[in-house]
Amino acid sequence: MYDCAIIGTGPAGLSAALNLKIHNKSVIWVGSSTLSDKVSKAEQISNYPGFINASGKDLSEAFGRQVKEMGLEITDGMVSSVYPMDDHYAIAVGSEFYEAKTVILATGIVSKATLKGEDGLLGLGVSYCATCDGMLYRGKTIAVICSNPRFEHEVKFLSELASKVYLYTSYKNVGEMGENVEILTARPTGINGDDHVTGISLSDGTEIAVDGVFILRESIAPTTLLPGIELDGGHIAVNRSMETNMKGCYAAGDCTGRPYQYTKAVGEGNVAAHSVIDYLGK
Ligand code: FAD
Protein backbone atom coordinates (compact mmCIF):
# COMPACT_ATOMS: atom_id res chain seq x y z
CA MET A 1 0.00 0.00 0.00
CA TYR A 2 1.39 3.39 -1.01
CA ASP A 3 1.41 6.37 1.35
CA CYS A 4 -0.12 8.56 -1.32
CA ALA A 5 -1.58 8.40 -4.83
CA ILE A 6 -1.07 11.61 -6.79
CA ILE A 7 -3.35 12.00 -9.81
CA GLY A 8 -2.08 14.40 -12.46
CA THR A 9 1.39 15.29 -13.70
CA GLY A 10 0.99 19.05 -14.06
CA PRO A 11 2.78 21.59 -11.83
CA ALA A 12 0.52 20.80 -8.83
CA GLY A 13 1.16 17.05 -9.06
CA LEU A 14 4.89 17.57 -9.59
CA SER A 15 5.19 19.86 -6.58
CA ALA A 16 3.33 17.33 -4.40
CA ALA A 17 5.49 14.46 -5.72
CA LEU A 18 8.75 16.33 -5.02
CA ASN A 19 7.76 17.16 -1.47
CA LEU A 20 6.59 13.64 -0.66
CA LYS A 21 9.80 12.21 -2.15
CA ILE A 22 11.93 14.53 0.02
CA HIS A 23 9.98 13.26 3.04
CA ASN A 24 10.54 9.62 2.03
CA LYS A 25 6.89 8.79 1.43
CA SER A 26 5.97 6.06 -1.02
CA VAL A 27 3.97 7.44 -3.90
CA ILE A 28 2.12 6.18 -6.95
CA TRP A 29 2.03 9.15 -9.33
CA VAL A 30 -0.31 8.72 -12.29
CA GLY A 31 -0.69 10.84 -15.41
CA SER A 32 1.09 11.59 -18.65
CA SER A 33 4.83 10.85 -18.64
CA THR A 34 5.21 13.92 -20.88
CA LEU A 35 3.79 16.04 -18.03
CA SER A 36 1.16 18.71 -18.69
CA ASP A 37 0.37 20.09 -22.16
CA LYS A 38 -0.67 23.29 -20.40
CA VAL A 39 2.96 23.84 -19.52
CA SER A 40 4.66 22.79 -22.75
CA LYS A 41 2.21 24.72 -24.94
CA ALA A 42 2.48 28.12 -23.25
CA GLU A 43 4.09 30.60 -25.62
CA GLN A 44 5.75 32.79 -23.03
CA ILE A 45 5.71 32.69 -19.24
CA SER A 46 6.40 35.94 -17.44
CA ASN A 47 5.07 35.22 -13.95
CA TYR A 48 7.10 32.20 -12.80
CA PRO A 49 9.78 33.37 -10.33
CA GLY A 50 13.29 32.52 -11.48
CA PHE A 51 12.30 31.97 -15.13
CA ILE A 52 12.70 35.21 -17.08
CA ASN A 53 10.57 35.26 -20.24
CA ALA A 54 10.75 31.49 -20.49
CA SER A 55 8.72 29.54 -22.98
CA GLY A 56 6.42 26.75 -21.83
CA LYS A 57 8.84 24.34 -23.48
CA ASP A 58 11.69 25.66 -21.28
CA LEU A 59 9.65 25.20 -18.10
CA SER A 60 8.43 21.78 -19.18
CA GLU A 61 11.99 20.65 -19.92
CA ALA A 62 13.14 21.91 -16.52
CA PHE A 63 10.28 19.99 -14.87
CA GLY A 64 11.28 16.88 -16.83
CA ARG A 65 14.93 17.17 -15.73
CA GLN A 66 13.83 17.53 -12.12
CA VAL A 67 11.60 14.45 -12.36
CA LYS A 68 14.63 12.46 -13.57
CA GLU A 69 17.14 13.89 -11.13
CA MET A 70 14.85 13.35 -8.15
CA GLY A 71 14.16 9.79 -9.27
CA LEU A 72 10.39 10.36 -9.46
CA GLU A 73 8.44 7.67 -11.27
CA ILE A 74 5.35 8.36 -13.33
CA THR A 75 2.81 5.64 -14.01
CA ASP A 76 1.69 6.62 -17.50
CA GLY A 77 -2.11 6.42 -17.74
CA MET A 78 -5.43 7.86 -16.74
CA VAL A 79 -7.13 7.16 -13.45
CA SER A 80 -10.70 6.24 -14.32
CA SER A 81 -12.04 5.90 -10.76
CA VAL A 82 -11.06 6.50 -7.16
CA TYR A 83 -12.78 4.23 -4.64
CA PRO A 84 -12.89 5.24 -0.96
CA MET A 85 -12.33 2.16 1.24
CA ASP A 86 -12.53 2.11 5.08
CA ASP A 87 -9.14 3.71 5.78
CA HIS A 88 -7.55 4.06 2.35
CA TYR A 89 -8.31 4.51 -1.37
CA ALA A 90 -8.17 2.22 -4.38
CA ILE A 91 -7.48 3.82 -7.75
CA ALA A 92 -8.15 2.26 -11.13
CA VAL A 93 -5.65 2.84 -13.95
CA GLY A 94 -6.65 0.85 -17.01
CA SER A 95 -7.11 -2.70 -15.75
CA GLU A 96 -4.73 -2.16 -12.80
CA PHE A 97 -5.72 -1.21 -9.27
CA TYR A 98 -3.46 0.53 -6.76
CA GLU A 99 -4.05 1.17 -3.08
CA ALA A 100 -2.93 4.23 -1.14
CA LYS A 101 -3.55 5.64 2.31
CA THR A 102 -4.15 9.13 0.89
CA VAL A 103 -4.93 10.76 -2.46
CA ILE A 104 -3.97 14.12 -3.95
CA LEU A 105 -6.19 15.16 -6.85
CA ALA A 106 -4.10 17.41 -9.13
CA THR A 107 -6.12 16.88 -12.26
CA GLY A 108 -6.39 20.43 -13.63
CA ILE A 109 -9.70 21.56 -15.06
CA VAL A 110 -11.98 19.65 -17.40
CA SER A 111 -11.86 21.90 -20.44
CA LYS A 112 -14.61 20.16 -22.37
CA ALA A 113 -18.16 20.11 -21.07
CA THR A 114 -19.59 16.67 -20.56
CA LEU A 115 -21.92 15.56 -23.35
CA LYS A 116 -25.68 15.43 -22.96
CA GLY A 117 -26.50 11.93 -21.71
CA GLU A 118 -22.88 11.15 -20.74
CA ASP A 119 -23.27 11.11 -16.95
CA GLY A 120 -26.52 9.10 -16.96
CA LEU A 121 -25.16 6.43 -19.33
CA LEU A 122 -21.76 6.05 -17.65
CA GLY A 123 -21.23 2.30 -17.19
CA LEU A 124 -24.23 1.68 -19.46
CA GLY A 125 -22.28 1.93 -22.69
CA VAL A 126 -20.26 5.05 -21.89
CA SER A 127 -16.67 4.32 -20.86
CA TYR A 128 -13.51 6.34 -20.20
CA CYS A 129 -11.22 3.31 -20.30
CA ALA A 130 -10.41 1.30 -23.43
CA THR A 131 -8.38 -1.31 -21.54
CA CYS A 132 -11.09 -1.89 -18.92
CA ASP A 133 -14.15 -2.08 -21.16
CA GLY A 134 -12.87 -2.67 -24.71
CA MET A 135 -13.48 -6.44 -24.57
CA LEU A 136 -17.22 -5.82 -24.01
CA TYR A 137 -17.42 -4.42 -27.54
CA ARG A 138 -15.80 -7.22 -29.49
CA GLY A 139 -17.52 -7.37 -32.88
CA LYS A 140 -19.74 -4.37 -32.05
CA THR A 141 -20.13 -0.82 -33.35
CA ILE A 142 -18.71 1.94 -31.20
CA ALA A 143 -17.98 5.65 -31.25
CA VAL A 144 -14.72 7.00 -29.88
CA ILE A 145 -14.23 10.64 -28.94
CA CYS A 146 -10.54 11.37 -28.65
CA SER A 147 -9.09 14.66 -27.39
CA ASN A 148 -5.36 14.06 -27.72
CA PRO A 149 -3.12 12.13 -30.15
CA ARG A 150 -1.51 10.45 -27.15
CA PHE A 151 -4.67 8.34 -26.78
CA GLU A 152 -4.53 7.06 -30.38
CA HIS A 153 -3.00 3.74 -29.31
CA GLU A 154 -6.21 3.19 -27.34
CA VAL A 155 -8.29 3.96 -30.44
CA LYS A 156 -6.23 1.38 -32.37
CA PHE A 157 -6.71 -1.17 -29.60
CA LEU A 158 -10.48 -0.61 -29.73
CA SER A 159 -10.52 -0.87 -33.53
CA GLU A 160 -8.93 -4.30 -33.27
CA LEU A 161 -11.87 -5.46 -31.13
CA ALA A 162 -14.89 -3.63 -32.56
CA SER A 163 -16.26 -4.33 -36.01
CA LYS A 164 -16.80 -0.62 -36.72
CA VAL A 165 -15.46 2.51 -35.06
CA TYR A 166 -16.75 6.05 -35.62
CA LEU A 167 -13.93 8.30 -34.51
CA TYR A 168 -14.22 11.99 -33.66
CA THR A 169 -11.04 13.85 -32.74
CA SER A 170 -10.90 17.41 -31.46
CA TYR A 171 -7.53 17.90 -33.23
CA LYS A 172 -6.33 17.69 -36.85
CA ASN A 173 -3.89 15.26 -38.47
CA VAL A 174 -5.21 11.99 -37.09
CA GLY A 175 -2.68 9.15 -37.29
CA GLU A 176 -3.14 6.12 -39.53
CA MET A 177 -6.14 4.01 -38.53
CA GLY A 178 -7.53 0.64 -39.61
CA GLU A 179 -10.07 0.24 -42.41
CA ASN A 180 -12.95 -0.17 -39.97
CA VAL A 181 -12.38 3.34 -38.54
CA GLU A 182 -14.52 6.10 -40.01
CA ILE A 183 -13.49 9.63 -39.10
CA LEU A 184 -16.42 11.90 -38.24
CA THR A 185 -16.31 15.55 -39.22
CA ALA A 186 -19.48 16.54 -37.34
CA ARG A 187 -19.00 16.96 -33.59
CA PRO A 188 -20.84 14.64 -31.18
CA THR A 189 -23.41 16.65 -29.21
CA GLY A 190 -25.13 13.97 -27.17
CA ILE A 191 -25.27 10.29 -26.25
CA ASN A 192 -28.62 8.57 -26.62
CA GLY A 193 -30.22 5.60 -24.89
CA ASP A 194 -32.43 4.77 -21.89
CA ASP A 195 -30.87 1.88 -20.00
CA HIS A 196 -27.96 1.47 -22.46
CA VAL A 197 -26.30 3.50 -25.21
CA THR A 198 -28.09 3.23 -28.54
CA GLY A 199 -26.49 6.05 -30.51
CA ILE A 200 -24.84 9.44 -30.67
CA SER A 201 -26.21 12.73 -31.97
CA LEU A 202 -23.98 14.90 -34.15
CA SER A 203 -23.74 18.64 -34.73
CA ASP A 204 -25.05 18.23 -38.30
CA GLY A 205 -28.36 16.97 -36.87
CA THR A 206 -27.82 13.28 -37.71
CA GLU A 207 -27.72 10.32 -35.34
CA ILE A 208 -25.50 7.25 -35.61
CA ALA A 209 -26.47 3.94 -34.02
CA VAL A 210 -23.68 2.58 -31.78
CA ASP A 211 -23.44 0.02 -28.97
CA GLY A 212 -20.96 1.97 -26.90
CA VAL A 213 -19.11 5.28 -26.64
CA PHE A 214 -15.52 5.66 -25.44
CA ILE A 215 -14.52 9.14 -24.34
CA LEU A 216 -10.75 9.57 -24.18
CA ARG A 217 -10.25 12.95 -22.51
CA GLU A 218 -7.33 14.42 -20.66
CA SER A 219 -9.36 15.00 -17.59
CA ILE A 220 -12.37 13.41 -15.98
CA ALA A 221 -14.85 15.51 -13.99
CA PRO A 222 -13.98 15.23 -10.26
CA THR A 223 -17.47 14.00 -9.34
CA THR A 224 -17.16 11.22 -11.93
CA LEU A 225 -13.68 10.29 -10.72
CA LEU A 226 -14.65 10.28 -7.05
CA PRO A 227 -18.42 10.38 -6.43
CA GLY A 228 -19.17 12.19 -3.18
CA ILE A 229 -16.42 14.78 -3.57
CA GLU A 230 -17.80 18.18 -2.67
CA LEU A 231 -17.63 20.98 -5.23
CA ASP A 232 -17.76 24.72 -4.88
CA GLY A 233 -18.81 26.46 -8.09
CA GLY A 234 -17.56 23.58 -10.25
CA HIS A 235 -14.19 23.28 -8.48
CA ILE A 236 -13.18 20.85 -5.74
CA ALA A 237 -13.94 22.45 -2.37
CA VAL A 238 -10.85 22.59 -0.14
CA ASN A 239 -9.77 24.35 3.04
CA ARG A 240 -6.40 26.06 3.55
CA SER A 241 -4.75 22.68 4.13
CA MET A 242 -6.05 21.51 0.73
CA GLU A 243 -8.29 18.98 2.48
CA THR A 244 -11.45 17.96 0.63
CA ASN A 245 -14.61 16.74 2.37
CA MET A 246 -13.26 13.16 2.17
CA LYS A 247 -10.83 11.97 4.85
CA GLY A 248 -7.28 11.55 3.50
CA CYS A 249 -8.17 13.12 0.15
CA TYR A 250 -6.58 16.43 -0.85
CA ALA A 251 -6.71 18.54 -4.00
CA ALA A 252 -4.35 21.10 -5.55
CA GLY A 253 -3.99 23.32 -8.60
CA ASP A 254 -6.53 24.44 -11.18
CA CYS A 255 -9.02 21.81 -9.98
CA THR A 256 -9.54 23.79 -6.74
CA GLY A 257 -10.33 27.09 -8.47
CA ARG A 258 -9.01 30.33 -9.91
CA PRO A 259 -6.60 31.88 -10.61
CA TYR A 260 -5.44 29.21 -13.04
CA GLN A 261 -1.71 29.82 -12.65
CA TYR A 262 1.44 27.71 -12.35
CA THR A 263 2.60 29.24 -9.09
CA LYS A 264 -0.76 28.71 -7.39
CA ALA A 265 -0.70 25.08 -8.57
CA VAL A 266 2.85 24.56 -7.32
CA GLY A 267 2.06 26.20 -3.97
CA GLU A 268 -1.06 24.15 -3.42
CA GLY A 269 0.76 20.94 -4.39
CA ASN A 270 3.29 21.75 -1.69
CA VAL A 271 0.59 22.40 0.95
CA ALA A 272 -1.30 19.22 -0.01
CA ALA A 273 1.89 17.14 0.33
CA HIS A 274 2.57 18.58 3.78
CA SER A 275 -1.01 17.90 4.84
CA VAL A 276 -0.56 14.30 3.69
CA ILE A 277 2.63 14.05 5.76
CA ASP A 278 0.78 15.37 8.85
CA TYR A 279 -2.13 12.98 8.23
CA LEU A 280 0.16 9.96 7.89
CA GLY A 281 1.97 10.94 11.08
CA LYS A 282 -1.23 10.92 13.14
P1 FAD B 1 -2.60 20.86 -15.29
O1 FAD B 1 -1.36 21.57 -15.73
O2 FAD B 1 -3.81 21.00 -16.13
O3 FAD B 1 -2.21 19.34 -15.10
C1 FAD B 1 -3.16 18.38 -14.77
C2 FAD B 1 -2.72 17.07 -15.36
O4 FAD B 1 -3.52 16.02 -14.82
C3 FAD B 1 -2.90 17.00 -16.89
O5 FAD B 1 -1.72 16.50 -17.48
C4 FAD B 1 -4.06 16.03 -17.06
O6 FAD B 1 -3.98 15.29 -18.27
C5 FAD B 1 -3.86 15.12 -15.85
N1 FAD B 1 -5.07 14.40 -15.47
C6 FAD B 1 -6.32 14.86 -15.38
N2 FAD B 1 -7.17 13.90 -15.00
C7 FAD B 1 -6.42 12.79 -14.87
C8 FAD B 1 -6.73 11.44 -14.52
N3 FAD B 1 -7.98 11.07 -14.26
N4 FAD B 1 -5.72 10.54 -14.49
C9 FAD B 1 -4.44 10.92 -14.78
N5 FAD B 1 -4.09 12.19 -15.13
C10 FAD B 1 -5.08 13.10 -15.16
N6 FAD B 1 -0.28 30.05 -16.02
C11 FAD B 1 0.63 30.97 -15.57
O7 FAD B 1 0.82 31.12 -14.37
N7 FAD B 1 1.38 31.70 -16.47
C12 FAD B 1 1.28 31.56 -17.81
O8 FAD B 1 1.98 32.23 -18.58
C13 FAD B 1 0.33 30.60 -18.31
N8 FAD B 1 0.20 30.40 -19.64
C14 FAD B 1 -0.68 29.45 -20.09
C15 FAD B 1 -0.76 29.23 -21.47
C16 FAD B 1 -1.64 28.27 -21.96
C17 FAD B 1 -1.74 28.02 -23.45
C18 FAD B 1 -2.47 27.54 -21.05
C19 FAD B 1 -3.43 26.50 -21.56
C20 FAD B 1 -2.37 27.75 -19.69
C21 FAD B 1 -1.48 28.69 -19.18
N9 FAD B 1 -1.37 28.94 -17.80
C22 FAD B 1 -0.46 29.85 -17.35
C23 FAD B 1 -2.20 28.21 -16.82
C24 FAD B 1 -1.45 26.97 -16.29
O9 FAD B 1 -1.15 26.17 -17.40
C25 FAD B 1 -2.28 26.17 -15.28
O10 FAD B 1 -2.72 27.02 -14.26
C26 FAD B 1 -1.43 25.05 -14.67
O11 FAD B 1 -0.93 24.18 -15.67
C27 FAD B 1 -2.25 24.28 -13.66
O12 FAD B 1 -1.52 23.20 -13.19
P2 FAD B 1 -2.26 21.90 -12.61
O13 FAD B 1 -1.16 20.98 -12.18
O14 FAD B 1 -3.29 22.29 -11.63
O15 FAD B 1 -3.06 21.31 -13.85
Side-chain angles (χ1 to χ4, degrees):
M1 164 114 52
Y2 292 94
D3 287 327
C4 184
I6 302 173
I7 308 175
T9 50
L14 170 60
S15 171
L18 285 168
N19 283 282
L20 289 172
K21 174 83 181 184
I22 289 165
H23 285 264
N24 275 325
K25 301 300 171 199
S26 62
V27 168
I28 169 99
W29 184 23
V30 188
S32 165
S33 54
T34 55
L35 306 176
S36 169
D37 282 357
K38 287 195 181 158
V39 180
S40 55
K41 287 192 176 156
E43 214 171 299
Q44 191 183 357
I45 300 167
S46 312
N47 64 344
Y48 201 101
F51 281 77
I52 300 159
N53 289 333
S55 69
K57 205 164 156 265
D58 295 333
L59 187 61
S60 187
E61 279 171 7
F63 283 175
R65 278 200 305 280
Q66 198 165 21
V67 166
K68 264 202 194 123
E69 277 180 25
M70 289 295 287
L72 298 173
E73 269 178 45
I74 295 173
T75 299
D76 200 291
M78 287 292 286
V79 175
S80 52
S81 293
V82 179
Y83 301 99
M85 314 303 267
D86 280 349
D87 58 351
H88 67 281
Y89 290 88
I91 64 165
V93 184
S95 54
E96 301 289 329
F97 280 87
Y98 300 94
E99 291 188 308
K101 293 174 193 163
T102 60
V103 173
I104 297 177
L105 302 168
T107 49
I109 40 165
V110 184
S111 47
K112 309 260 182 327
T114 53
L115 289 170
K116 193 167 160 256
E118 177 181 330
D119 284 342
L121 289 164
L122 185 62
L124 301 170
V126 172
S127 171
Y128 299 124
C129 177
T131 321
C132 321
D133 298 326
M135 294 302 268
L136 300 172
Y137 296 91
R138 191 182 278 283
K140 298 200 171 170
T141 300
I142 58 170
V144 182
I145 301 166
C146 181
S147 68
N148 191 306
R150 86 176 163 95
F151 301 130
E152 282 187 4
H153 69 280
E154 298 197 37
V155 182
K156 284 182 191 147
F157 167 70
L158 288 168
S159 71
E160 285 160 16
L161 296 167
S163 59
K164 171 89 186 175
V165 177
Y166 292 100
L167 172 64
Y168 176 80
T169 67
S170 44
Y171 57 89
K172 293 191 179 121
N173 302 325
V174 182
E176 210 171 301
M177 292 287 159
E179 279 179 3
N180 62 339
V181 179
E182 183 176 331
I183 312 275
L184 297 174
T185 47
R187 179 176 44 83
T189 52
I191 305 173
N192 310 323
D194 292 327
D195 50 6
H196 202 274
V197 167
T198 53
I200 53 167
S201 300
L202 300 176
S203 55
D204 61 5
T206 58
E207 185 186 330
I208 296 175
V210 294
D211 302 304
V213 180
F214 284 82
I215 302 174
L216 310 177
R217 274 201 199 106
E218 299 192 59
S219 195
I220 297 171
T223 44
T224 307
L225 198 60
L226 178 49
I229 193 99
E230 201 175 289
L231 299 186
D232 179 7
H235 297 108
I236 301 172
V238 285
N239 62 16
R240 283 186 60 83
S241 304
M242 299 295 125
E243 275 173 311
T244 70
N245 62 314
M246 303 183 84
K247 203 170 153 229
C249 177
Y250 302 81
D254 283 3
C255 62
T256 69
R258 291 172 190 277
Y260 301 144
Q261 304 270 269
Y262 300 125
T263 43
K264 171 185 170 283
V266 166
E268 289 189 354
N270 172 298
V271 175
H274 283 89
S275 297
V276 162
I277 294 161
D278 286 348
Y279 177 89
L280 293 170
K282 278 177 192 158

